[in-house]
């Protein structure tokens, strides 16, 4: 099986951008299958840094890049992102880029509702990016969405607008806001429609065609398994399924095509926004991890919370997503630590757990059980083979493999594409 599915195995921000960029350079097609422009993938190619939120990472290398039906699409954000990349010399055409015509749109009313809710929630806020992702997914399952294909039929939107307004106007009134300006909304859609429609196509059909031609397909996930709306730390999660199984439903290519499932895992743990975080370090060690790892969100710029590697959560994520192998990133951030800790279990009310319980209150109360290891002297920065790594760093990697019950497929030792130790080639399986 030549295909590869990439997912984040923690709370996102694991360094997927670099890994996906490297894989995309060897793939024939890359497809985003969930999320929206709340994702943040940073690619460093030579002296140039590209920051992507919505576009598949393959676009930088000219690989066929597709946005699947499982994504919620903000057409204005897409246009802005494309213009920025084109300004950096990236070619984006109807030949190398496509959007699923059944993809739901994020509208200005979705952004408005997201901001109103988060602002009013106070201490109960989820920690969203306030970009309208959640409300757009709500309208999708509520059968109120305006989709990409509707942009060719704007004169026939009356019944859909009635459903949208019946729902949103009541919510807006509750926040003291005026009803939706239907004329303004239609006007905005008419203006953006020609730009979006040129890329619209049945992506499921395009993918099946390239599959039959023997192409290598890369399924690109966003966020991380611990933010999955079903399997994550609910309610502090995103609004889509981030697990590998979504690659099928979010792209239109059957589950048998998922191929090698690569879980991206940071050598320590980070989280952006609210929610439980058993191994969080609110001391100088956590501060050091954040500073050395440059832990600020690509999309929001928010400072990431940092902590020791949580083997319990990562093992859980790998099991739920059927991960074949992991790509371990940011190992170099741990250089020079005298002692390194790994969470191997939790204690809750006198009971030892080897999984994270489902209830948010229990998640917040678990106490991590740590195993300590000696750190290593010297540097792992730029290592491209096992021989370049300190012996203790290799021991740390091997212990992670044991604890998460999943092998390491690669180790990343810097943001540069070439600074990677390849153990198992996902496309070779």
């Amino acid at each position: 099986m030549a295909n590869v599915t990439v997912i984040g195995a923690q709370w996102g921000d694991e360094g997927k951008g670099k890994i996906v960029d490297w894989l995309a350079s060897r793939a024939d097609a890359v497809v985003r299958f969930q999320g929206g422009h709340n994702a943040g993938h940073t690619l460093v190619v030579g002296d140039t840094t590209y920051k992507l939120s919505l576009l598949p990472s393959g676009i930088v290398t000219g690989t066929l890049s597709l946005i699947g039906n499982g994504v919620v699409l903000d057409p204005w954000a897409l246009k802005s992102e494309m213009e920025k990349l084109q300004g950096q010399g990236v070619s984006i055409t109807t030949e190398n880029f496509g959007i699923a015509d059944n993809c739901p749109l994020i509208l200005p009313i979705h952004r408005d509702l997201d901001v109103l809710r988060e602002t009013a929630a106070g201490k109960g806020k989820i920690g969203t990016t306030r970009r309208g992702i959640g409300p757009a997914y709500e309208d999708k399952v509520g059968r109120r969405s305006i989709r990409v294909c509707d942009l060719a039929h704007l004169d026939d939107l009356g019944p859909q607008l009635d459903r949208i307004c019946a729902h949103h106007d009541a919510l807006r009134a509750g926040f003291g806001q005026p009803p939706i300006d239907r004329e303004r909304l239609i006007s905005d859609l008419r203006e953006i429609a020609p730009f979006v429609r040129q890329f619209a196509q049945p992506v499921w059909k395009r993918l099946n065609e390239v599959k039959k031609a023997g192409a290598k397909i890369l399924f690109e996930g966003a966020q991380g398994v611990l933010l999955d709306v079903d399997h994550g730390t609910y309610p502090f999660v995103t609004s889509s399924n981030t697990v590998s199984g979504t690659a099928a439903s979010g792209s239109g290519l059957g589950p048998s095509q998922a191929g090698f499932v690569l879980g991206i895992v940071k050598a320590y743990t980070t989280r952006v926004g609210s929610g439980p975080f058993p191994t969080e370090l609110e001391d100088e060690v956590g501060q050091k991890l954040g500073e050395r790892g440059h832990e600020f969100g690509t999309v929001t710029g928010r400072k990431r919370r940092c902590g020791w590697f949580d083997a319990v959560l990562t093992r859980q994520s790998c099991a739920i997503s059927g991960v074949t192998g992991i790509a371990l990133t940011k190992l170099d951030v741990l250089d020079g630590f005298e002692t390194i800790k790994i969470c191997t279990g939790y204690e809750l009310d006198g009971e030892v757990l080897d999984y994270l319980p489902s209830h948010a209150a229990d998640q917040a109360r678990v106490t991590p059980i740590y195993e300590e290891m000696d750190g290593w002297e010297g540097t792992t920065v730029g290592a491209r083979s096992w021989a370049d790594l300190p012996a203790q760093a290799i021991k740390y990697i091997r212990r992670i493999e044991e604890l998460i019950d999943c092998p390491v497929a690669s180790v990343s030792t810097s943001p540069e594409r070439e600074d990677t130790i390849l153990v198992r080639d996902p496309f070779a399986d």
Side-chain angles (χ1 to χ4, degrees), residues 31-32 66-73 78 97-105 140 145-153 157 160 193 196-207 250-252:
V31 56
R32 272 282 307 273
L66 302 168
I67 291 179
N69 58 277
V71 173
V72 283
L73 179 82
L78 174 67
F97 177 60
I99 303 168
D101 53 9
N102 55 342
C103 186
L105 298 178
K140 175 182 177 178
S145 283
I146 294 176
R147 302 187 298 171
V148 169
C149 55
D150 292 317
L151 295 176
H153 303 273
L157 274 185
Q160 283 169 273
V196 178
R197 287 181 59 194
Q198 65 180 314
F199 301 109
Q201 58 188 268
V203 161
W204 68 267
K205 186 174 183 292
R206 185 79 176 272
L207 284 171
S251 69

Side-chain angles (χ1 to χ4, degrees), residues 267 285 308-311 328 331 334-344 369-377 390-404:
V285 176
W308 293 120
F309 185 82
D310 192 326
L328 189 67
L331 179 67
L334 297 179
D335 289 353
F337 276 87
E338 191 173 313
T339 300
I340 297 173
K341 296 182 181 181
I342 303 176
C343 175
T344 60
I369 299 171
Y370 286 119
E371 175 181 302
E372 291 192 8
M373 298 184 66
D374 290 335
W376 53 86
E377 296 180 357
Q392 196 61 29
I394 296 175
K395 186 177 179 181
Y396 179 70
I397 296 168
R398 295 306 186 201
R399 184 56 179 150
I400 285 176
E401 287 182 309
E402 293 173 357
L403 290 169
I404 68 172

Side-chain angles (χ1 to χ4, degrees), residues 87-361:
Q88 291 182 285
V90 177
S91 175
I92 305 174
T93 69
T94 55
E95 294 298 314
N96 67 359
F97 177 60
I99 303 168
D101 53 9
N102 55 342
C103 186
L105 298 178
I106 298 175
L107 306 174
I109 58 172
H110 295 130
R111 295 195 299 269
D112 292 345
L113 183 57
D114 206 354
V115 171
L116 289 168
R117 283 174 169 170
E118 279 290 276
T119 302
K123 292 183 178 180
K125 67 182 180 180
I126 302 293
T128 78
T129 56
R130 302 186 176 214
R131 298 194 167 200
I133 311 295
Y137 272 117
E138 290 176 39
D139 276 359
K140 175 182 177 178
V141 298
R143 293 163 292 182
R144 295 179 294 270
S145 283
I146 294 176
R147 302 187 298 171
V148 169
C149 55
D150 292 317
L151 295 176
H153 303 273
L154 291 176
D155 290 335
D156 303 320
L157 274 185
Q160 283 169 273
L161 283 175
D162 290 342
R163 290 195 296 273
I164 289 172
C165 291
H167 178 75
H168 282 268
D169 284 352
L171 294 173
R172 292 170 68 91
F175 287 109
Q177 299 297 309
I180 293 171
D181 185 336
R182 292 172 64 135
E183 290 186 7
R184 170 71 181 276
L185 179 57
I186 289 293
S187 175
D188 288 343
L189 290 172
R190 286 194 192 282
E191 184 179 351
I192 199 70
F195 167 76
V196 178
R197 287 181 59 194
Q198 65 180 314
F199 301 109
Q201 58 188 268
V203 161
W204 68 267
K205 186 174 183 292
R206 185 79 176 272
L207 284 171
N208 275 273
E209 288 170 352
V210 298
K211 180 199 73 173
K212 288 178 182 178
K216 294 179 180 178
I217 301 171
L218 177 62
F219 298 92
E220 180 180 3
Q223 289 91 43
V225 174
L226 298 176
L227 293 174
D228 185 277
V229 70
D230 287 310
H231 300 287
T233 48
Y234 191 92
F236 303 98
V237 293
T238 194
S239 299
S240 62
N241 286 111
T242 58
V243 294
S244 61
T246 315
S249 61
S251 69
L253 203 57
S256 63
Q257 300 302 312
F260 189 107
V261 179
L262 183 67
I264 314 301
V265 176
K266 195 176 288 184
Y268 50 102
T269 309
T270 62
R271 176 166 200 169
V272 170
S274 306
F277 185 170
T279 65
E280 182 174 12
L281 298 170
E282 299 180 274
D283 56 15
E284 66 275 5
V285 176
Q287 181 76 14
K288 184 177 180 181
L289 287 171
E291 289 174 354
R292 297 187 62 178
H294 306 291
E295 296 297 350
F296 295 91
T298 301
V299 170
T300 63
R302 288 183 293 181
K303 183 178 179 181
R304 296 176 187 141
R305 301 153 63 190
C306 298
W308 293 120
F309 185 82
D310 192 326
V312 180
L313 285 179
T314 307
R315 181 175 63 245
Q316 192 165 318
S317 293
C318 289
I320 290 167
S321 260
V323 173
T324 313
I326 67 165
L328 189 67
T329 66
K330 290 198 167 185
L331 179 67
D332 53 297
V333 173
L334 297 179
D335 289 353
F337 276 87
E338 191 173 313
T339 300
I340 297 173
K341 296 182 181 181
I342 303 176
C343 175
T344 60
Y346 304 128
E347 191 275 331
L348 179 64
D349 297 331
E351 181 182 1
V352 175
L353 303 178
D354 61 357
Y355 66 95
L356 187 69
S358 295
H359 198 279

